[in-house]
Amino acid sequence: MTKKVLFALTSHGVLGDTGRKTGFYIPEVAHPAAVFRKAGYDLDFVSVQGGAPPQDGFDPGDQVQADFLADPHIETALSTTAAPGDLTAADYDVIFYAGGHGAMWDLAESEALAELAAGIYEQGGVVAAVCHGPAGLVNVRLGDGAYLVDGKQVSTFTNEEEAAVGMTEVVPYLLESKLAERGAKITKAGNFAEHAVADQRLVTGQNPASAVRVAELVLEQLAAGSA
């Protein structure tokens, strides 16, 4: 059976009422994608609304990002992402929620995406998220009604980091605080330092610098599950 990772992306492209654009953060997809591809995993993409999600954060000086976006297969996949309701959990080993500030407006609101993530998790797969991607975990409930994050260690973009980038009053909620309300045991490092954690097939990272480590921990969790 093909080994597959599903990247979950925001469809939201407007940064509150600031007039600025946002979207999914390209390096938080490109760098983990390189890790997964090297390990033999195929990649699929889903966005809240399907189609071509808005992009943010591209650094043309980063060869990994440049190669990722220049890949014709990736280009096609990103322009035609599936909507959550069109996919089946059984087809995936991993769902990986990428960040970007847009995630704060729509990832938590998608019931179909939450159901897809719960399905992947409950069949023994791994749920992963980085930076603002854990917004997608806010409303994921398991079959027993419990929140996926309840009682588990979780890393996410912190309240301090949100303040440092001047977005505390722009985002609809503070992600660290919201996940803590859901029962997550928040674990964090200093502002913008690499930090990621794995807990019972839930893998989360604090910020863009943590994206590669999240992918590496996902592979460790998969290997442990197949041992």
Side-chain angles (χ1 to χ4, degrees), residues 61-108:
D62 181 340
Q63 196 61 48
V64 173
Q65 294 182 51
D67 290 347
F68 177 76
L69 292 182
D71 185 316
H73 298 292
I74 295 296
E75 183 180 15
T76 298
L78 285 177
S79 65
T80 57
T81 66
D86 297 333
L87 300 179
T88 302
D91 292 336
Y92 299 99
D93 303 282
V94 181
I95 185 169
F96 188 114
Y97 288 93
H101 266 101
M104 294 293 290
W105 278 268
D106 67 352
L107 287 191

Side-chain angles (χ1 to χ4, degrees), residues 2 41 47 93 128 178 203 211 222:
T2 304
Y41 282 79
S47 61
D93 303 282
K178 181 68 72 174
V203 182
L222 291 168

Side-chain angles (χ1 to χ4, degrees), residues 126-204:
V126 176
V127 174
V130 67
C131 197
H132 289 94
L137 307 177
V138 166
N139 291 319
V140 177
R141 290 182 185 265
L142 302 179
D144 62 1
Y147 287 109
L148 171 61
V149 299
D150 189 14
K152 296 184 182 70
Q153 292 189 80
V154 173
S155 179
T156 187
F157 202 68
T158 66
N159 293 351
E160 293 86 356
E161 286 171 325
E162 208 69 88
V165 298
M167 294 292 290
T168 301
E169 302 302 322
V170 176
V171 293
Y173 55 90
L174 290 174
L175 187 49
E176 176 190 332
S177 297
K178 181 68 72 174
L179 290 165
E181 290 173 13
R182 298 293 194 247
K185 298 177 179 177
I186 301 297
T187 171
K188 56 186 174 179
N191 284 2
F192 314 113
E194 177 187 317
H195 182 65
V197 63
D199 192 346
Q200 301 174 61
R201 292 182 291 110
L202 176 64
V203 182
T204 47

Side-chain angles (χ1 to χ4, degrees), residues 4 26 48 56 101 107 123 145 174 218 225:
K4 277 191 175 183
I26 292 170
V48 173
D56 194 13
H101 266 101
L107 287 191
Q123 72 188 12
L174 290 174
V218 166

Side-chain angles (χ1 to χ4, degrees), residues 2-7 36-37 40-44 92:
T2 304
K3 300 187 294 185
K4 277 191 175 183
V5 175
L6 179 65
F7 279 93
F36 290 129
R37 280 178 141 180
Y41 282 79
D42 289 341
L43 311 178
D44 276 356
Y92 299 99

